[in-house]
Amino acid sequence: MKIKTMYIKDVKPGERVSGSFLVMEKNIAFSQKGSPYLNIRLKDKTGEVDGKIWENAVEWDKVFKKGDVIQAQGGAVSFKNTMQISITGVKKVDDADIDLSEYLPVAKENSDVMFTDLMAFIEKIGIPCLKALLHAFFNDEKITALFKKAPAAKGFHHVYIGGLLEHTLSVVRLLDQVTNHYPGVNSDLLITGGILHDIGKIYEYSYDSIFDYSDQGRLIGHIVIGIEMLDAKIAALEEFPEHLAMELRHLILSHHGTYEFGSPKRPKTLEALIVHFIDDLDAKVNAFQEFIVDSDDDSNWTPFHRLFERFIYKG
Amino acid sequence: MKIKTMYIKDVKPGERVSGSFLVMEKNIAFSQKGSPYLNIRLKDKTGEVDGKIWENAVEWDKVFKKGDVIQAQGGAVSFKNTMQISITGVKKVDDADIDLSEYLPVAKENSDVMFTDLMAFIEKIGIPCLKALLHAFFNDEKITALFKKAPAAKGFHHVYIGGLLEHTLSVVRLLDQVTNHYPGVNSDLLITGGILHDIGKIYEYSYDSIFDYSDQGRLIGHIVIGIEMLDAKIAALEEFPEHLAMELRHLILSHHGTYEFGSPKRPKTLEALIVHFIDDLDAKVNAFQEFIVDSDDDSNWTPFHRLFERFIYKG
Amino acid sequence: MKIKTMYIKDVKPGERVSGSFLVMEKNIAFSQKGSPYLNIRLKDKTGEVDGKIWENAVEWDKVFKKGDVIQAQGGAVSFKNTMQISITGVKKVDDADIDLSEYLPVAKENSDVMFTDLMAFIEKIGIPCLKALLHAFFNDEKITALFKKAPAAKGFHHVYIGGLLEHTLSVVRLLDQVTNHYPGVNSDLLITGGILHDIGKIYEYSYDSIFDYSDQGRLIGHIVIGIEMLDAKIAALEEFPEHLAMELRHLILSHHGTYEFGSPKRPKTLEALIVHFIDDLDAKVNAFQEFIVDSDDDSNWTPFHRLFERFIYKG
Amino acid sequence: MKIKTMYIKDVKPGERVSGSFLVMEKNIAFSQKGSPYLNIRLKDKTGEVDGKIWENAVEWDKVFKKGDVIQAQGGAVSFKNTMQISITGVKKVDDADIDLSEYLPVAKENSDVMFTDLMAFIEKIGIPCLKALLHAFFNDEKITALFKKAPAAKGFHHVYIGGLLEHTLSVVRLLDQVTNHYPGVNSDLLITGGILHDIGKIYEYSYDSIFDYSDQGRLIGHIVIGIEMLDAKIAALEEFPEHLAMELRHLILSHHGTYEFGSPKRPKTLEALIVHFIDDLDAKVNAFQEFIVDSDDDSNWTPFHRLFERFIYKG
Amino acid sequence: MKIKTMYIKDVKPGERVSGSFLVMEKNIAFSQKGSPYLNIRLKDKTGEVDGKIWENAVEWDKVFKKGDVIQAQGGAVSFKNTMQISITGVKKVDDADIDLSEYLPVAKENSDVMFTDLMAFIEKIGIPCLKALLHAFFNDEKITALFKKAPAAKGFHHVYIGGLLEHTLSVVRLLDQVTNHYPGVNSDLLITGGILHDIGKIYEYSYDSIFDYSDQGRLIGHIVIGIEMLDAKIAALEEFPEHLAMELRHLILSHHGTYEFGSPKRPKTLEALIVHFIDDLDAKVNAFQEFIVDSDDDSNWTPFHRLFERFIYKG
Amino acid sequence: MKIKTMYIKDVKPGERVSGSFLVMEKNIAFSQKGSPYLNIRLKDKTGEVDGKIWENAVEWDKVFKKGDVIQAQGGAVSFKNTMQISITGVKKVDDADIDLSEYLPVAKENSDVMFTDLMAFIEKIGIPCLKALLHAFFNDEKITALFKKAPAAKGFHHVYIGGLLEHTLSVVRLLDQVTNHYPGVNSDLLITGGILHDIGKIYEYSYDSIFDYSDQGRLIGHIVIGIEMLDAKIAALEEFPEHLAMELRHLILSHHGTYEFGSPKRPKTLEALIVHFIDDLDAKVNAFQEFIVDSDDDSNWTPFHRLFERFIYKG
């Protein structure tokens, strides 16, 4: 594992640059005189910056591609808000030498800590078959590894390594409070539903470097992938009551609340209704907060948020 | 105050009936031979039942009107699910003699107890002007009296005497948990918003007997009535920071979440977003639960719910 | 098996009635004098008729329930368009003695003939794993038995025993023509998708007597049930290419075309697009035709169709 | 007050430029060699033009900001449709020296003339309390000053100084004709409603230099601001009939016609219905006309209008 | 022509009835003992009333049908709000003897007077070809006769004989005022468009007795029928500028304003925009007014209006 | 007719360019030093390419305009994916010398062949008046010439010379298969409807050079233009049954299926329903296929399709 020695947030205009960065975009362009140059966008966990390769662009273009981590040499030029790196030399970094959490945004809290906190909720579940089901999920090392790493979305909320886990834990903590508030709710079903509601997202995205949808993410989607994962785990258990399986499937299928947001069924049980609301609340609170944090400080308002279709007031 | 001695749930077919009931519907009909009779619908806090006045319908029709409480004499006839009261004599009960909580559905918990619980949240508020504002509201005896009595809706959720208070307290309790969960939320603003979000409903409905909309309920609506009440209370305070007033107004205006549900603004602050979700959650959970309780026991499913546009699964 | 000797379409007013019928509705009502009577709705494959039991209604009410087949004695009374049966005696028929196809509407063509026609399409499929998959489905006797019997809907199109098979065969025949028309379409995938697109409907409805939704029909729905059935069959095959499985899943998931009609994904492949259109065409043509057939002959127009939200012109 | 001596529409390519302009946009950019320059957008009441500061951009950047009026020196360069000003020197103009109507688009008619015309309608009102209310509004100097200056929108119709007044007067003139046309309309209420329907817009926008939304514009909106202003004026009157206040509030609340356009109530009185239609008509006619005027002359069609989602035919 | 001697509004309970009425509904029903009787609904221009034929219903049923005018003998029975006529004898009235305006609601103003007023607008049109076109329309006796008689709708606004003419005249009068208000509007085109916008309605409905849609009303609709009528009249003129024909067609096509209300094009010219708004305003004001007039006097509110989806406030 | 000697797909970077091309876009731009140059977009049937005129831009700008075919001299410069032509000399080509099918995309199959195939369907029609009607259309040389040339859309499906004919033939072939599949369909009406459903498109677009909407395309649209063409042809026939004319009109009017897609009536006959579905299917299959063909080969997915609002999977 190569140690990352320079972070984008620390680069100062006028200084020499020599560090490793993830390539988010790369495309060739031409000056008005027709000479080619490379526009690239570099990223690490501390920020993003534009880069230019002015010389020998065609040759350098073959050395690396979008999604690679590169070791770049050059110099930072910056005026006011806009810093740019003029790159003079590039070397692709081997995958084996990369610690992705240095290049991609990561959840504030450590994944293992969050995972431990989530597992503690499983132990409090009283219905044995639900507890067994959850054990089957998280004793599956492949699932657990991906679950600790996946983002919760490609571009709306919890868009960072560990985001899915952070969102899931947040939802479960809220559900744990809500379940005491409303008598008559099946709290074990509610918590189990909360833990598994987005589990299909571990296969909906690719997040080995740049976050994107996987093929099955676009063709099947995390809701139905989650059902398939649930069916596989239930099938491997010795026994699991059919009516509980059906309610759990329904809860996952309906957690987006309405048809227009991709749920093939709308909530028809109390538990499905509650998981839908808490999931939506947590996603949108995170989206508000992240958007506020990312916006400039010199206005009471964020820029226009494309998905919320509004400006958000920072006060 | 007249003591109510007979409740609808206790009436048995074949027995004599002599008791006081609220008249929900009244209309004259005709048998095929052309003789008039009265169809009425009677209610008390334990249920509803149809009644018929077969003889002298035209005369009895003048004795009382829809919304009155009447003392009725007659006999119960019943087959299977359907009981009916054949009424032979009626006397209108004076308003002064009526304890409405005997005739209308009431919240499970006592209004004074819930009110005390709600007031305790006010005392925990740290921002003095918000606390002063809430005191101004609830030191207003007229507001407090209505607030303890109003339903939260005419026909969807918390449709009973004390329903508005029950809903408000439930929302505030949930907000109190949520506020600890999300750092960066202005908890005093959130709790104040939770307490006041539906305050305009005390004037949106009439609930002296049958629940209905008031004129201003239909023409202005509780959202804007709430703003007007807020403005009046703020104007009477010595000082109140304008930016806080603006955020509080925004929170009330936007708590329905979208234009189509009657909010002239959509949530643009974190606190407004959260109050919207918790309000919606609490209303719909209550609506689900009440609808499940009201449905027959012989099916896994409720009847079709007109507003949710679905059947609800009781499991 | 009891031989059905009298059909509703043959009953003439004024005649004695003695025959077996399916009870579609049953409820108790009261004459204006308060005497109870039973309203029932009787059905066999030739039509429906109202029935009344005027005497001893409370006792008869206990003898049978909605969904039963009864042997009824009585007399037909009829005026112009409206015939009614006055029933004087009833006996419940044992399930073992019932041939449901005598009481429920059935497809015009024989199920076995249609099934043979459909199987012939499987034999023409060239991709071995798809053929193997389809064999796995239809060598499963439970699936085959239900598939021959299920209706295609509860109340829109192909609402009769064998309707699902009839609809599926019709879709496949059309797809077979379309596939020759458009070069570049994967015809094996298209035909396989056509055969399986609604397979989940065998568990979406109950059709042992009166057609209704099953619990999993309402909570999960035939689209996702179909995916689960597909996954189970693929898992049991020795090998099945993942990319083909994914495209087939996508085709089933997206065959309703839009989110608002319950598809969690919209068609993103050519084959999924075509199956969606042909399925929709066939369902709506059948719905038009059945509605026209069921309407009176004395107008150029059908009555208002609730789902199409229009009158249909018969010309 | 400084006299403006040069207008954008009179600037000719090749000439020296020395005049005062409002800065609409300002941002720093970089030539391909990395030298910074300033892009600015200049405006006066006769048009807009791009400007560039090629030399010492970083220093000049500190001298003025977006929204300022500057005295600029330089030269005009122009080819065909596109003229650009190369600026070599800049001085910020003091606010006290600025007559904004020289820099922002203004209504065709003089504000004082329009205001006098509008006031004449008030004198024709017969119901004393409505006349008193309107006097209370327009005897308030702060309101009157803003009302004469405010635009009617930020970017759709009547987007110019005096636009709100022009729109209001136009609506009132049309209402005055309509009221004679339909018997049974309360013409005093109608005219009062027409005058006050958009009064909240004086606080919805900022229009001291560049037009934008105010904070309360985005958080509360002119509809509810208008209600608050109305309530304040009514509270200060000796008496005002509650039912009339309620109808007036309703008229303002509902004048956008539907929920989706931000009205929390839809029109439920004849007067509210009419004001809604006439307001909508006048806004859209103005938007059509302004868009046609602003478009090039060499086509029968305007460019695509983003809000109308169509091209407009000029004939 | 037979003189109508008795009007529904004058019939008093207890009196003999002998008069001619239009039959709106007729169906056979059965008493609980199985004896048939006829339910009918009778109408004249003063109101509607239910009727019953208790004796020999099957025979009487053959004597007349829905839509006929009958001479009925019997007696009025009435209680409170509900009067009913027991009919003992019926004779169908010959079509030749019927003055339909005695049986159907008619416009308040006389058709010939309104028509004269409308024609006066034609004479003020300055563009010769437009004037010629309108003359071509109204010199066509068939068109004129139908245009004076047709209702403007089947069940929303101006639902009475002469309603189309009344609505058209009202729209034209308003347009005449608006055209002076907005400079730059082609007033001749506007008035011509106003006169012809709904002309296709003369073939959209049948109104020889009960108002209903015609076949082409349902299959083609008045918008496109109007285009076809316009094309036919223009083809018969010696010359007519194509661009004007195109704008007039566009105006008719787009006068419903949006796709969802059946316009295949949305307004793209100023004149089309204005006609759309004034047409919509006039239709809805009439609908409000008629609904208010038809509702009971004992409430501030009308009943729920199904198309407006609201209660209307009468004040 | 001038022979085209050089095609865009054959131009290689570094070579001299001397050939004729259609000008799709032309606009003047300025280098940072303020010197003007011309950006143009060139097209022929094999592709598109950008061009620049660096010298004497203002003079060359007057020599030709958008939509012209020019003879251009210059040299190709290309880097990787992007080739550009530096133009040094231009001459406008006379319209008489242009074979547009060299410059615009054309259908794969020859127009005359397709037309012959379509005519063969007419001969199979059994109802004489329908056959006569179709003869009337295609014996009209103006119609036929345009029909062979028109595209089927401006930018969604079959966007090429001959596209309307190709789409029409494809729809008719599919209808011919469907008509055998569903008994009870009027196949002559169906085929006639298929042939004429989009006939109005010959006047909806301009396609003499760059494809665009015509004025009547935007103001009237092909649906109503088609009705007008139909009416004109029917009027010229000796006799044509009115009911058939009405059904044919309805079929054309309703073939977009819903109001929101511009049909003023929705399908109310079986034939209209089928034509709608097959038209929609054929348009969307073509749109999918063309979009897939146009996209790069290095991904399983096309770029985002703006109208379908999705990525399309190529597999």
Side-chain angles (χ1 to χ4, degrees), chain C residues 30-33 37 54 77-82 84 300-302 311 313, chain E residues 26 28-36 58 61 213-216 218-219:
Chain C
F30 303 91
S31 70
Q32 269 172 20
K33 293 181 177 167
Y37 62 94
W54 297 111
V77 196
S78 177
F79 305 96
K80 226 178 162 198
N81 299 321
T82 312
Q84 202 174 82
N300 288 335
W301 295 89
T302 66
F311 297 88
Y313 186 66
Chain E
K26 187 191 72 174
I28 208 156
F30 303 92
S31 70
Q32 269 172 19
K33 292 180 177 167
S35 26
V58 178
D61 188 37
Y213 282 99
S214 65
D215 283 358
Q216 66 173 318
R218 280 197 185 135
L219 290 173

Side-chain angles (χ1 to χ4, degrees), chain B residues 39 136 166:
Chain B
N39 277 314
E166 181 185 308

